[in-house]
Amino acid sequence: MSTEIETPQADRPTDELREEYAQLVETVRAARMAYYVQDAPTLSDAEYDQQYRRLEELEALHPELVANDSPTQEVGGEVSAAFAPVEHLEKMYSLEDVFSIEEFTAWVTRAEASIATLHQAPEARWLTELKIDGLAVNLLYRNGKLVRAATRGDGTTGEDVTHNVQTIKTIPRQLHGDDVPEEIEIRGEIFISTQDFKKVNEERVAEGKSPFANPRNSAAGSLRQKDPAETAKRPLSMYVHGIGAVTGLELTRQSEVYDHMTSWGLPVSPYSEVLDSVDEILGFIERYGEQRHSLTHGIDGIVVKVDDRATQRQLGHTSRTPRWAVAYKYPPEEVNTKLVNIAVGVGRTGRVTPFGIMEPVTVAGSTVSMATLHNQDVVKAKGVLIGDTVVLRKAGDVIPEIVGPVVALRDGSEREFVMPANCPSCGTGLAPAKEGDVDIRCPNAKSCPEQLRQRIFYAAGRGAFDIEALGWEAAKALTDPEEPGRPPLTSEAQLFDLTVEDLAEVRIRRPRRGKDAAEGETELVPYFWTKGSAKKPSVPSANTLRLFDQLEQAKSQPLWRVLVALSIRHVGPTAARSLATAFGTMERIRQATEEELAATDGVGPTIARAVIEWFSEPWHREIVDSWAAAGVRMEDEVDESVPKVLEGLTVVVTGTLDNFSRDSAKEAILLRGGKASGSVSKKTDYLVAGASAGSKLDKAESLGVPVLDEAGFERLLSGGPEAMET
């Protein structure tokens, strides 16, 4: 009789739960891209944290859902095509976040228990410092000279911003002292001080420009200026707080690292202390929580690190976070304001989302008048009525969150929100995509002007074609102008067929200017061409000419970026890279079966099904065909000189390798025809185990899977399985 016990059906993830998980992955990945790469957050910190923690919860309950491209397996964001990619010598990790004192003390208790078992430092000391609300940057010094600066990017590869960083006065180009190491990576945060941020915004308002939303994204946008001279105009500062790879210097304590960095001339934060107990750390948290608005820079929490570096190494890392450090996040700030109305917006996938329109209120340093409400069920769950005084929460970013109503202030004039029956953009009847869906969608995907506008804007984004001149307003002018009646674009298939002459008559409505203009008066003006007069005829604007130059450049973008630009549901940059690497051409992807797509490392059944469904639509295929006819690159150049020595083999890489990042090891396997898997099974042919290999190594040994060190991996790459027999 078999002793195998079948898992009860109730314990398996339902279709609804799988759909929720897929949507969470898409939402979190998009928010991460918007925050780290586009410097324009789409979710509040509180909302992002909530979505991310729900994602972690689902993965803990159902590990079979976890894919390599889950945001929980990644660090930071993608790398913008506007800057050259730079691979860090040592990976830059994210920090584990905790959101309450109870969670924090539980983390410390676990860490202390782990430390006690090491018998190296039975009583830990804790370096405690402020969590700067800035942009993470890695500085590489060789023999004391600054040779490179890069953003964190995805943790392994960042953006080369060396020339921009060199304009920041507080960052030395040459380190000083007798103990400067031969080579060292210095990690820190670039920020705009609270005082300078206020001054910059006052100057912008005086010049008639819109103020920056918050210091963090102002700093990030300033550092990512393509012209270093523009970066030099911004009052950027930096505090350093750690190191990566180091050669030629032994360092025993994190606080000692700070002492050395100070002596070398690097700017170290004055807000750090080495503490001996949880009570002392809690006192630090409370003290700076009260002082957070009077500090040099914005903060969103406190970082606590094990001070002893040997203990740090022994505790190691997960795939995403160090086990020896944690970030305690302060609760987001809250204010009360009046909810004037609830309107709805239409996204690029047709999802219709309610959002609150509020009396403008200042919170976390910016003026807020709108906040997302996700869907009609969320509106009901929060219990908010139009006309309510609501609690608004904002965690120092752009997108706020309506927490709920202040019921005691209701006077009876409030009214319920009713979800519209028709799309506000095209008038099509709204409905769920399938029975049981919470989200309401506009099914007119092809012709809905707002969906098309959103897709065009998304295709032009940094994660896709990276067409800077095609912004939000330009996308509207192309898809839904005031004049002429027929817009220049009725499908993204026409994007690369546009001519300058097509845009000559496009007009949008703007506030009328001039001394005789009445308040609120508007006029129709050309968007892509100059206004023109009897003496000076209308001509294409400089930005329009730049748009066409960038459209031409976009045609040569790699295949994965073209895939992202297609707005296939669930296919973000990570999945697109996997598909492009595995199949090489758009034609092979569109001809692949669902099983072939799902078998691609980092893709899985949900994304595979989305790709199949997308290509099943004739008008979708027309987009690809039109772009290809216009000269858009539809295949990647493959280095045929590399022999396919790993054809048919599955290789798993775990732990830290000296000469390979996780991504470069994966690319090396794929380039040689192998499958780079993220999990060990009986089908695994080799496990490559670096430092801190962990549970995958244990499983490989239990299954009898051959285990290679880094030298063995290099032999495998050069000669395949035959090279392992010699």
Side-chain angles (χ1 to χ4, degrees):
M1 180 181 294
S2 173
T3 59
E4 183 177 349
I5 300 175
E6 184 177 350
T7 303
Q9 189 67 33
D11 290 341
R12 296 172 180 170
T14 62
D15 290 344
E16 290 76 14
L17 191 144
R18 288 181 182 276
E19 182 66 20
E20 179 191 2
Y21 177 80
Q23 186 64 53
L24 278 170
V25 169
E26 181 182 24
T27 300
V28 171
R29 188 181 293 118
R32 183 173 286 180
M33 170 65 74
Y35 186 85
Y36 287 106
V37 179
Q38 297 170 343
D39 305 324
T42 56
L43 298 178
S44 68
D45 280 0
E47 187 175 354
Y48 175 86
D49 290 339
Q50 181 184 31
Q51 302 273 4
Y52 190 89
R53 301 189 91 187
R54 174 59 176 161
L55 192 62
E56 288 182 316
E57 178 184 339
L58 291 180
E59 291 183 348
L61 291 171
H62 301 285
E64 63 269 38
L65 292 175
V66 184
N68 282 349
D69 67 339
S70 168
T72 63
Q73 309 300 305
E74 302 169 345
V75 176
E78 294 287 332
V79 179
S80 169
F83 298 91
V86 171
E87 191 165 300
H88 307 305
L89 302 184
E90 186 171 300
K91 184 174 180 178
M92 295 181 73
Y93 290 86
S94 294
L95 288 174
E96 180 181 351
D97 293 330
V98 295
F99 299 88
S100 68
I101 296 300
E102 291 76 15
E103 284 183 286
F104 171 73
T105 53
W107 183 92
V108 173
T109 300
R110 291 195 303 272
E112 286 180 330
S114 297
I115 292 168
T117 63
L118 298 174
H119 304 294
Q120 299 292 326
E123 294 183 3
R125 304 194 75 206
W126 306 96
L127 179 63
T128 309
E129 58 193 356
L130 303 186
K131 188 175 185 294
I132 303 169
D133 195 13
L135 178 72
V137 169
N138 186 46
L139 308 177
L140 177 61
Y141 286 88
R142 290 198 178 109
N143 297 315
K145 183 179 180 181
L146 178 62
V147 296
R148 193 173 71 201
T151 63
R152 180 170 64 181
D154 62 6
T156 300
T157 305
E159 302 155 327
D160 190 335
V161 290
T162 306
H163 295 304
N164 292 17
V165 162
Q166 287 175 338
T167 69
I168 301 174
K169 296 176 182 177
T170 57
I171 299 176
R173 295 196 180 191
Q174 181 71 46
L175 303 182
H176 303 285
D178 297 329
D179 59 349
V180 173
E182 298 167 15
E183 185 176 73
I184 189 168
E185 287 180 308
I186 302 289
R187 274 79 190 267
E189 297 279 327
I190 287 179
F191 62 93
I192 292 180
S193 72
T194 305
Q195 183 98 13
D196 285 335
F197 179 73
K198 182 179 178 182
K199 191 182 300 181
V200 166
N201 268 352
E202 287 173 350
E203 291 171 356
R204 288 181 65 84
V205 170
E207 294 169 1
K209 299 177 181 177
S210 299
F212 290 122
N214 59 63
R216 189 270 171 197
N217 294 103
S218 174
S222 298
L223 188 66
R224 287 192 172 107
Q225 293 291 313
K226 294 182 179 179
D227 182 0
E230 290 300 313
T231 300
K233 296 176 184 177
R234 308 285 174 86
L236 297 176
S237 300
M238 182 177 188
Y239 280 151
V240 298
H241 54 58
I243 62 173
V246 58
T247 303
L249 183 68
E250 290 295 323
L251 299 163
T252 60
R253 290 176 291 108
Q254 190 77 19
S255 52
E256 180 189 12
V257 171
Y258 287 21
D259 293 338
H260 279 285
M261 291 193 297
T262 300
S263 69
W264 296 333
L266 288 161
V268 178
S269 171
Y271 308 113
S272 68
E273 298 175 24
V274 179
L275 304 174
D276 295 316
S277 68
V278 172
D279 288 342
E280 289 181 0
I281 299 172
L282 295 180
F284 186 99
I285 291 172
E286 181 178 1
R287 182 165 75 252
Y288 282 104
E290 295 169 353
Q291 299 175 14
R292 61 188 299 190
H293 298 298
S294 60
L295 302 172
T296 301
H297 51 75
I299 64 170
D300 58 1
I302 299 296
V303 176
V304 179
K305 305 172 182 175
V306 173
D307 194 37
D308 182 75
R309 283 176 55 80
T311 305
Q312 289 180 8
R313 288 190 292 271
Q314 289 171 315
L315 290 174
H317 304 77
T318 67
S319 62
R320 196 179 61 87
T321 63
R323 293 189 176 95
W324 45 265
V326 71
Y328 167 82
K329 300 288 286 288
Y330 286 116
E333 294 181 277
E334 296 179 352
V335 295
N336 289 0
T337 189
K338 182 73 74 174
L339 180 63
V340 178
N341 199 2
I342 297 176
V344 297
V346 186
R348 64 186 173 91
T349 62
R351 181 186 177 194
V352 178
T353 306
F355 61 92
I357 301 173
M358 301 163 295
E359 291 181 354
V361 61
T362 300
V363 55
S366 60
T367 301
V368 174
S369 59
M370 292 188 292
T372 181
L373 284 164
H374 303 291
N375 56 56
Q376 70 274 18
D377 285 2
V378 170
V379 177
K380 291 179 182 178
K382 290 180 180 291
V384 293
L385 303 176
I386 297 170
D388 265 335
T389 295
V390 295
V391 178
L392 181 71
R393 176 184 295 161
K394 190 168 186 294
D397 57 14
V398 177
I399 305 298
E401 174 189 11
I402 294 174
V403 179
V406 183
V407 178
L409 297 180
R410 285 179 175 167
D411 60 12
S413 64
E414 298 81 14
R415 68 186 191 279
E416 287 189 12
F417 164 71
V418 179
M419 193 75 175
N422 299 95
C423 175
S425 178
C426 66
T428 303
L430 302 177
K434 62 178 183 293
E435 187 176 351
D437 274 5
V438 173
D439 292 331
I440 303 297
R441 296 182 182 272
C442 170
N444 184 24
K446 180 180 179 181
S447 305
C448 177
E450 186 59 23
Q451 289 187 60
L452 177 59
R453 175 191 186 180
Q454 296 267 3
R455 293 197 302 269
I456 291 293
F457 177 67
Y458 183 78
R462 286 184 178 178
F465 283 127
D466 197 14
I467 305 171
E468 189 177 359
L470 182 45
W472 183 246
E473 193 175 37
K476 184 181 190 308
L478 288 172
T479 58
D480 193 21
E482 298 287 338
E483 289 185 3
R486 180 178 173 83
L489 290 183
T490 56
S491 166
E492 50 265 65
Q494 304 156 343
L495 180 61
F496 292 96
D497 296 326
L498 286 172
T499 66
V500 174
E501 289 70 27
D502 291 337
L503 309 183
E505 302 301 320
V506 173
R507 283 167 170 73
I508 64 169
R509 190 167 294 280
R510 280 181 171 163
R512 188 167 179 268
R513 297 177 179 177
K515 295 181 180 179
D516 58 339
E519 185 177 351
E521 186 179 2
T522 62
E523 63 177 339
L524 283 174
V525 296
Y527 184 82
F528 295 102
W529 286 53
T530 60
K531 198 169 184 180
S533 64
K535 295 182 179 180
K536 196 173 183 180
S538 177
V539 296
S541 69
N543 198 58
T544 297
L545 296 177
R546 191 161 66 99
L547 168 62
F548 280 89
D549 285 342
Q550 291 177 1
L551 280 168
E552 191 61 33
Q553 294 168 18
K555 294 178 182 179
S556 61
Q557 291 282 22
L559 178 60
W560 73 266
R561 286 183 172 274
V562 181
L563 285 168
V564 173
L566 292 174
S567 278
I568 302 172
R569 198 174 181 198
H570 306 311
V571 179
T574 302
R577 285 179 191 270
S578 296
L579 289 168
T581 301
F583 292 92
T585 72
M586 185 70 76
E587 185 61 26
R588 288 186 63 196
I589 293 171
R590 67 191 289 181
Q591 296 299 330
T593 66
E594 185 173 332
E595 291 73 20
E596 289 171 335
L597 293 168
T600 303
D601 188 35
V603 176
T606 299
I607 295 174
R609 187 162 53 251
V611 173
I612 293 293
E613 290 174 355
W614 193 90
F615 277 107
S616 70
E617 286 284 350
W619 69 275
H620 286 162
R621 297 195 296 272
E622 181 186 338
I623 296 170
V624 175
D625 293 340
S626 296
W627 286 3
V632 175
R633 177 176 168 179
M634 291 292 166
E635 62 180 69
D636 284 337
E637 297 177 4
V638 179
D639 188 351
E640 299 294 346
S641 65
V642 178
K644 305 300 181 186
V645 294
L646 301 185
E647 197 85 57
L649 298 180
T650 298
V651 183
V652 176
V653 179
T654 187
T656 303
L657 303 177
D658 293 332
N659 299 318
F660 295 86
S661 67
R662 186 66 59 88
D663 286 344
S664 66
K666 179 178 178 180
E667 289 173 7
I669 295 165
L670 295 173
L671 187 61
R672 289 158 177 81
K675 177 183 178 181
S677 178
S679 58
V680 177
S681 71
K682 292 180 179 178
K683 296 181 180 180
T684 303
D685 294 289
Y686 294 97
L687 174 80
V688 179
S692 305
S695 60
K696 291 180 183 178
L697 175 58
D698 295 337
K699 186 171 183 180
E701 290 174 341
S702 69
L703 293 173
V705 173
V707 177
L708 308 179
D709 59 12
E710 187 164 0
F713 180 45
E714 291 174 344
R715 290 200 306 275
L716 180 69
L717 293 175
S718 62
E722 291 78 10
M724 310 312 298
E725 297 172 2
T726 58

